[in-house]
Structures are given as C-alpha cells and as structure tokens.
C-alpha cells in the first residue's frame, strides 16, 4: 500500500545523528555522542525511599488520573522556587508540568505559530527541539551563535527579512550542543529586540543548575516586564530523565492554551513521577544537593579537558564550558568533519556527534562536532580522548 503522510510530517527525516548513534551500542565503542546525565549522579536511594512511602501511604494518588495542569503540590513548590529566582510573577504567570522540557517547547510552538510563521533559533541548536518545531511547518531560521550568544545584529536583520516573525528560541545556559553561555548584555539585548518587534522568547533552561564554574547570570525571564518570555525547565538533568517531568512558566493566557493542547496530547504528566519530584524538593537541601551534582560534572569535564589538552592535535579548537554536559570541538576548515566522525566510530570505535546534526539545514557546512562528558565513565573518558586524540594527530599534524 502507498501511504500518504500529513504535510506536517511528510518532510521530516531521521537525523544524521542516527547514523553515528547506531554504532554506540556495539561492543567496544566508547560513546561521547550521548546527551544523558551521569548515571552516578542519580539519587537512586532517595527516589526509592520516596516512592516506597508514596505507595505505602497514598498509592491511589500515584495510580489514578490527575489534573492536566500538574500535581498541585509540585506546581506550588515550583512556583515558589521560581519566584525566588525571579522567573515567576504570580500576578501574570502560571505554570504547568510537562513530559520533559521537550514537550514544553513543542507545545509552546504549537499554541503560538501557524504554518509558515517564522521562528528563530540559535545555529547550532538542540536537535530535539528543532524537529519538534519542524513538525508544525514553521519557517525555522537559524541565527549564528557567537561565543557569548546569538548574533543579535543577524537576528534583527532576519526579523526584517522573514514573514510573520513570532518566536525566538534560545538556550542561554551551557547551550546544547556548544556549551556556551549567553552574556548578560546579549540577554538584555535580545529582550529589547523582542519588545521592539513584538516577539515572544522561548527560554529553554535544562542545564542552568549545572554551573560548576564562573558566575551565574540572571535569566531572560527575570527581565520580563512585558510578559513575553516563556521559560521551560526540567528535572531530567538534576534528578533523572526517566521521570519525564518538566515544566513551563509563561503568561496565564499562554498556559491556558498549552493546557488544552496537553489534554489532547497525553491528559497529564506521570503523577507518580510528579509526586516524587515534589517530595524530593520539599525534603532535600537543594543547594547542598546541587553542589554535589556539580562536583560530579566538574570532575568529568576536567578529565575530558585534560585528555584533549594532552592528546589532541593543537589544530583542533575547543571550548571549555562552565557547566552543562558538552564540549564543542572544531576541526580546521579544510577538513571533512562528517567523514572524520564516521571514521572515528567505524575505525577507532569512538562516537562523537557531527555538528551539522544541530543545524536547521543539516546539509550546511560546518567543521565542528560535539563531545559529551557526562555519560561515559571516567575510564572511558581517559581512554577515549587518548584514542581520538591520536586520530586527530594522524590526520592533522
């Protein structure tokens, strides 16, 4: 039978990243290609204890339907926590829990953009969100990402040149895939542009709690005097991604529409997982807990950075992040980066992600690739950077 797919999905194709990831499960392959948090950072004992208490004292809560907006106890805790961070204005905002930040971003696009409307994103950017946005037939425009954030001059020019500009998607903290941080100056500048051209900003902050160096920078949401910033967060990087609990804070009118769309999509996010997150936040000294978490990522990042310094060709440029899960490396411009990534995994059994996987146009030329330091073991980081470094010296020196 010949199947005819909807216009929204017909043009969607598997990402180039899949060609690399299919090797990662093979015996002997060291994967720097994942984006998973460190397994040793999961609070397994605490989640087990909270779950046991929940099923002993109130099992029906965890097993029955609940409201679409989210488990009320968790929403209250999150609103209070975000208000302390100046990311929630109780007079103007509301909050809904979602199945990870990915759903928060996808539903934000769904309720605000029509087919053909223009949405802007950093180039490169998170592949999961890019595919979600593409599925709605929007005009997705990538804007150059500089070392301190999106090129605002290029953004303004793109706003002028494209039809129906509506939404700007950014990951200001330890951006995926580059690990870069948007400067305070650019956060202010982006908000000013949004006000000038009547745009909405979607601020995705999955990695903000994982700062292990440098000084925190206020969120764009904390600057929002005109109620034009949507802020998405998640428990995936600070508790466990398998819980699938995220959240989005936005003006009440936007949240009301997101709620209707979520009702259609999945009724509500897993209530057991939401209850676990609520109890965890209530019972845990989060400052102490997060500092322990940051220590794990600081150590793993430094280990990978040391391996790169020691073993990589000096012709490979790379950036030391202040947090998050990723390192961004760039080969000389005359190198075939996709071929480099394929050779690394097929011949040297080291998997990295080609940078074009994170572009709006995956066929565009880039010489960069992403390395993840959170998922592999320390032993794999040491061995893998040495092997990959030897390959870079053979090719480039």
């Amino acid at each position: 039978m010949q199947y005819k797919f909807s216009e929204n999905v017909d043009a969607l194709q598997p990402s180039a990243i899949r060609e690399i990831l299919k090797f990662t499960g093979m015996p002997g392959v060291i994967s720097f290609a994942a984006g998973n948090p460190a397994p040793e950072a999961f609070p397994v004992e605490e989640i087990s204890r909270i779950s046991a208490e929940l099923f002993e004292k109130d099992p029906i809560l965890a097993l029955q339907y609940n409201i679409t907006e989210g488990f009320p106890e968790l929403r209250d805790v999150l609103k209070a926590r975000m208000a302390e961070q100046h990311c929630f204005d109780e007079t103007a905002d509301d909050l809904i829990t979602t199945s990870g930040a990915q759903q928060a971003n996808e539903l934000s696009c769904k309720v605000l953009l029509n087919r053909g409307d223009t949405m802007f994103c950093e180039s490169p950017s998170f592949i999961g969100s890019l595919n979600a946005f593409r599925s709605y037939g929007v005009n997705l425009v990538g804007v150059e990402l500089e070392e301190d954030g999106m090129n605002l001059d290029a953004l303004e020019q793109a706003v002028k040149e494209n039809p129906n500009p509506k939404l700007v998607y950014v990951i200001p903290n330890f951006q995926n895939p580059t690990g870069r941080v948007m400067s305070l100056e650019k956060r202010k500048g982006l908000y000013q542009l949004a006000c000038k051209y009547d745009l909405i900003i979607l601020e995705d902050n999955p990695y903000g709690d994982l700062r292990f160096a440098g000084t925190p920078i206020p969120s764009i949401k904390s600057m929002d005097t005109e109620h034009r910033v949507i802020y998405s967060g998640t428990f995936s990087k600070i508790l466990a991604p398998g819980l699938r609990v995220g959240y989005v804070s936005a003006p009440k009118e936007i949240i009301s529409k997101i709620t209707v769309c979520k009702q259609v999509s999945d009724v509500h996010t897993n209530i057991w997982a939401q209850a676990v997150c609520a109890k965890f936040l209530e019972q845990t000294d989060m400052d102490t807990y997060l500092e322990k978490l940051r220590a794990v990522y600081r150590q793993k990042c430094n280990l990978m950075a040391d391996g790169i310094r020691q073993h990589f060709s000096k012709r490979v440029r790379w950036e030391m992040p202040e947090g998050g899960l990723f390192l961004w490396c760039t080969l000389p411009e005359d190198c075939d980066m996709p071929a480099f990534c394929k050779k690394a995994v097929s011949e040297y059994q080291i998997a990295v992600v080609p940078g074009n996987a994170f572009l709006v146009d995956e066929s565009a030329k880039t010489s960069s690739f992403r390395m993840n330091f959170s998922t592999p073991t320390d032993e794999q980081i040491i061995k893998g950077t040495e092997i990959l470094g030897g390959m870079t010296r053979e090719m480039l020196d």
Side-chain angles (χ1 to χ4, degrees):
M1 179 177 177
Q2 185 71 33
Y3 296 102
K4 190 170 184 179
F5 295 103
S6 70
E7 292 180 357
N8 281 348
V9 302
D10 191 46
L12 296 180
Q13 298 293 329
S15 168
I17 192 174
R18 291 180 179 271
E19 188 171 351
I20 299 298
L21 292 180
K22 69 182 181 182
F23 289 97
T24 60
M26 296 174 59
V29 171
I30 295 175
S31 178
F32 296 149
N36 302 339
E40 63 267 35
F42 294 164
V44 176
E45 292 183 5
E46 291 88 341
I47 291 177
S48 297
R49 175 184 55 79
I50 292 171
S51 297
E53 291 177 356
L54 175 62
F55 282 109
E56 179 182 353
K57 297 178 181 178
D58 197 357
I60 302 306
L61 168 66
L63 299 176
Q64 187 57 278
Y65 283 117
N66 210 291
I67 61 175
T68 302
E69 288 86 347
F71 181 46
E73 189 174 328
L74 177 59
R75 293 176 69 221
D76 289 344
V77 173
L78 281 171
K79 288 177 182 178
R81 180 173 172 79
M82 294 183 68
E84 292 177 357
Q85 300 168 348
H86 308 289
C87 292
F88 185 83
D89 177 358
E90 64 178 11
T91 65
D93 292 332
D94 203 352
L95 180 145
I96 184 173
T97 60
T98 56
S99 298
Q102 172 98 356
Q103 187 184 50
N105 298 332
E106 184 257 340
L107 290 178
S108 297
C109 175
K110 183 175 184 177
V111 304
L112 289 169
L113 275 73
N114 295 313
R115 191 174 185 85
D117 285 346
T118 298
M119 180 176 189
F120 306 95
C121 65
E122 298 156 324
S123 183
S125 188
F126 172 49
I127 185 172
S129 290
L130 296 184
N131 279 337
F133 303 148
R134 290 183 182 112
S135 72
Y136 290 106
V138 302
N139 176 35
L140 190 58
V141 177
V143 179
E144 177 195 8
L145 183 67
E146 300 177 310
E147 290 187 6
D148 63 343
M150 182 181 279
N151 183 327
L152 297 185
D153 290 335
L155 172 62
E156 185 167 21
Q157 188 62 34
V159 170
K160 294 176 180 178
E161 294 175 350
N162 285 275
N164 302 321
K166 294 283 187 68
L167 194 63
V168 184
Y169 171 70
V170 291
I171 311 171
N173 296 315
F174 323 119
Q175 197 251 12
N176 184 0
T178 64
R180 293 172 182 169
V181 175
M182 180 181 285
S183 67
L184 178 60
E185 179 183 7
K186 282 202 170 176
R187 295 181 196 218
K188 292 179 178 178
L190 174 58
Y191 187 75
Q192 290 169 358
L193 281 178
C195 295
K196 180 178 179 180
Y197 292 101
D198 195 24
L199 304 171
I200 292 177
I201 298 170
L202 174 52
E203 180 178 16
D204 189 8
N205 190 29
Y207 312 105
D209 286 321
L210 301 183
R211 174 177 284 279
F212 48 72
T215 304
I217 301 175
S219 66
I220 304 171
K221 180 67 173 170
S222 69
M223 308 171 187
D224 187 16
T225 57
E226 294 192 5
H227 313 303
R228 59 176 67 252
V229 179
I230 303 171
Y231 179 100
S232 66
T234 180
F235 287 93
S236 292
K237 306 306 185 293
I238 64 171
L239 290 187
L243 294 172
R244 303 312 305 134
V245 179
Y247 50 93
V248 56
S249 167
K252 294 177 181 179
E253 294 87 345
I254 294 176
I255 294 297
S256 67
K257 291 297 184 184
I258 288 177
T259 301
V260 173
C261 290
K262 183 170 171 61
Q263 287 171 343
V264 174
S265 177
D266 64 0
V267 183
H268 60 70
T269 297
N270 183 295
I271 295 302
W272 160 77
Q274 291 188 68
V276 168
C277 291
K279 292 298 182 185
F280 191 93
L281 288 177
E282 290 171 351
Q283 298 174 8
T284 304
D285 180 340
M286 289 302 292
D287 290 337
T288 301
Y289 170 76
L290 288 173
E291 190 49 52
K292 291 180 180 178
L293 207 60
R294 293 167 188 140
V296 171
Y297 291 108
R298 181 184 300 113
Q299 189 269 337
K300 294 175 82 72
C301 180
N302 287 336
L303 197 61
M304 179 169 279
D306 289 343
I308 292 174
R309 291 188 188 99
Q310 183 176 354
H311 301 295
F312 275 42
S313 166
K314 303 306 179 186
R315 297 185 66 201
V316 178
R317 293 183 289 112
W318 60 283
E319 302 172 28
M320 184 67 177
E322 295 182 334
L325 310 181
F326 308 110
L327 277 163
W328 191 240
C329 300
T330 302
L331 300 170
E333 290 187 4
D334 58 349
C335 289
D336 186 337
M337 180 275 302
F340 170 87
C341 295
K342 291 177 182 178
K343 182 175 182 178
V345 71
S346 62
E347 297 183 23
Y348 292 81
Q349 295 186 298
I350 307 294
V352 298
V353 186
N356 57 293
F358 304 98
L359 301 179
V360 171
D361 177 6
E362 288 192 2
S363 65
K365 182 175 175 55
T366 177
S367 54
S368 298
F369 60 92
R370 191 192 76 179
M371 295 177 65
N372 164 259
F373 54 79
S374 60
T375 309
T377 65
D378 290 356
E379 293 75 16
Q380 288 173 326
I381 292 174
I382 293 170
K383 181 179 179 181
T385 52
E386 182 176 359
I387 294 172
L388 191 63
M391 175 183 165
T392 66
R393 294 198 307 274
E394 290 174 14
M395 292 182 61
L396 302 176
D397 294 348

